[in-house]
C-alpha cells in the first residue's frame, strides 16, 4: 500500500509539473513549441535521486511521521477534490484558463499554509517539512510567473531540481516510516 501511495504521489507531482509547464504553451510561437518540450523531457530524464539522509532515532519519530502522513492525506484529498472539480467544469465547457490557474494557486497556498502549521518535534520531520515547503514555494513562483511567454532550459532544470527535492522528501518519509520499530509505531497511534 505505501508503494501505491508513493506511485500515486509521484504521478500527481509529475502531472502537476507538466500542467504548470504547459500553462503558456498556447502563447508561444509554433517554432519554439518543440524546444521547451524536449528540454523539459531531457531534464526529467536527468532526475537525480538524492540519497536518504540519516537521522538519529528519537522518541518523537512516531509523532512526526503521523503528522506528516496526515498532512499528505489531507492535501491529497484536497487536491483530488480540486482536480475532480476542474475536470467536471472542463467537461461542461465552463472552465476558463484564469479560473484553472487561480485554483492551482489556491492549491499551492493551501499546501504552504498546511505545512507551516505542522508542529513537528524532530530534526528529520522538520527536514522533510522544509523540502516540501521549498517545493511548494517554488510552485507558487512558477504560477506567479505564468504570464511569461517562454520557458528557458534553466527554468526547466530548476523545476526538475525542485521536483527531485519533493520526491526525495517522499522517499525520506517512506524510509523513516519503514525504519520504525514496533514500539515507536505504537507511540504514533
Amino acid at each position: 500500500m505505501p508503494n501505491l501511495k508513493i506511485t500515486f504521489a509521484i504521478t500527481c507531482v509529475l502531472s502537476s509539473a507538466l500542467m504548470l509547464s504547459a500553462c503558456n504553451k498556447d502563447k508561444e510561437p509554433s517554432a519554439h513549441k518543440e524546444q521547451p518540450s524536449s528540454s523539459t523531457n531531457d531534464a526529467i530524464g536527468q532526475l537525480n535521486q538524492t540519497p536518504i539522509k540519516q537521522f538519529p532515532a528519537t522518541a518523537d519519530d512516531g509523532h512526526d511521521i503521523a503528522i506528516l502522513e496526515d498532512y499528505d492525506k489531507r492535501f491529497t484529498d484536497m487536491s483530488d477534490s480540486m482536480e475532480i472539480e476542474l475536470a467536471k467544469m472542463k467537461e461542461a465547457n465552463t472552465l476558463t484558463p484564469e479560473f484553472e490557474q487561480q485554483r492551482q494557486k489556491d492549491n499551492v497556498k493551501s499546501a504552504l499554509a498546511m505545512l507551516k502549521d505542522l508542529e513537528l518535534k524532530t530534526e528529520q520531520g522538520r527536514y522533510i517539512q522544509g523540502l516540501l515547503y521549498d517545493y511548494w514555494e517554488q510552485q507558487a513562483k512558477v504560477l506567479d510567473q505564468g504570464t511569461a511567454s517562454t520557458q528557458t532550459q534553466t527554468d526547466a532544470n530548476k523545476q526538475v531540481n525542485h521536483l527531485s527535492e519533493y520526491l526525495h522528501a517522499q522517499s525520506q518519509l517512506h524510509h523513516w516510516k519503514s525504519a520504525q520499530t514496533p514500539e515507536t509505531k505504537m507511540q504514533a497511534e
Side-chain angles (χ1 to χ4, degrees), residues 26-39:
D26 294 340
K27 297 176 185 174
E28 293 180 16
S30 60
H32 295 291
K33 281 190 177 182
E34 291 188 31
Q35 166 67 25
S37 176
S38 64
S39 66

Side-chain angles (χ1 to χ4, degrees), residues 9 12-14 16-17 20 71-72 75-76 78-79 82 104-115 128-144 159 162-163 165-166 169-170:
C12 288
V13 169
L14 287 174
S16 295
L20 290 173
Y71 154 78
D72 187 51
F75 181 73
T76 300
M78 182 185 65
S79 295
M82 181 198 72
Q104 290 172 346
K105 286 180 180 181
D106 293 345
N107 198 43
V108 170
K109 286 178 187 174
S110 293
L112 290 168
M114 291 168 71
L115 282 165
I128 294 169
Q129 178 185 28
L131 290 171
L132 293 171
Y133 195 89
D134 288 347
Y135 171 78
W136 288 113
E137 200 170 48
Q138 179 61 28
Q139 294 308 305
K141 289 177 186 175
V142 168
L143 284 171
D144 287 340
Q159 278 291 94
H162 286 288
L163 177 58
E165 288 177 4
Y166 180 87
Q170 295 295 326

Side-chain angles (χ1 to χ4, degrees), residues 156-173:
N157 287 338
K158 284 181 183 178
Q159 278 291 94
V160 169
N161 286 338
H162 286 288
L163 177 58
S164 181
E165 288 177 4
Y166 180 87
L167 296 174
H168 172 61
Q170 295 295 326
S171 297
Q172 185 80 32
L173 179 58

